[in-house]
């Protein structure tokens, strides 16, 4: 499902015009991105949590040059679904 599909579904279910729905969806995604960029998790009860995970520093290999490189610790975004969300997908 793409962002356009989501906008169409919301438009059908609510009767709100597509431009307003698209603006709202994009504003939601921007708010989530900004929160995660500021190391703040986003909790949506009954849906799930957008969280920031910290990856530890590790050593990797550059196969083409046959050298080792160090990848510094960094943050990555992750999604953890709520229990009710997981149960409904399993059915």
């Amino acid at each position: 499902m793409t962002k356009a599909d989501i906008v169409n579904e919301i438009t059908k279910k609510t009767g709100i015009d597509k431009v307003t729905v698209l603006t709202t969806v994009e504003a939601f995604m921007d708010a989530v991105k900004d929160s995660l960029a500021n190391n703040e998790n986003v909790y949506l009860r009954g849906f799930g949590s957008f969280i920031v995970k910290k990856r530890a520093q590790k050593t990797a290999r550059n196969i083409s040059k046959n050298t080792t490189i160090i990848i510094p610790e960094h943050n990555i975004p992750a999604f953890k679904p709520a229990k009710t969300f997981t149960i409904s997908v399993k059915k």
Side-chain angles (χ1 to χ4, degrees), residues 2-90:
T2 64
K3 183 173 26 172
D5 294 335
I6 292 170
V7 169
N8 289 333
E9 282 292 318
I10 294 172
T11 300
K12 285 180 195 174
K13 291 183 179 182
T14 62
I16 302 171
D17 63 305
K18 285 185 179 183
V19 175
T20 305
V21 173
L22 178 62
T23 305
T24 305
V25 169
E26 287 180 347
F28 169 76
M29 292 189 307
D30 287 339
V32 171
K33 283 187 230 175
D34 292 342
S35 293
L36 294 177
N38 294 325
N39 286 329
E40 298 173 0
N41 296 334
V42 178
Y43 303 102
L44 301 173
R45 190 172 302 238
F47 184 73
S49 303
F50 295 94
I51 58 175
V52 177
K53 286 187 173 182
K54 183 171 277 195
R55 289 276 169 99
Q57 177 177 318
K58 65 181 180 179
T59 305
R61 302 229 355 112
N62 184 347
I63 297 172
S64 63
K65 295 181 181 177
N66 198 20
T67 59
T68 60
I69 57 173
I70 295 176
I71 299 173
E73 75 174 20
H74 57 281
N75 295 330
I76 60 163
F79 177 73
K80 182 180 178 189
K83 188 178 248 182
T84 56
F85 182 97
T86 305
I87 292 169
S88 66
V89 171
K90 283 184 180 179

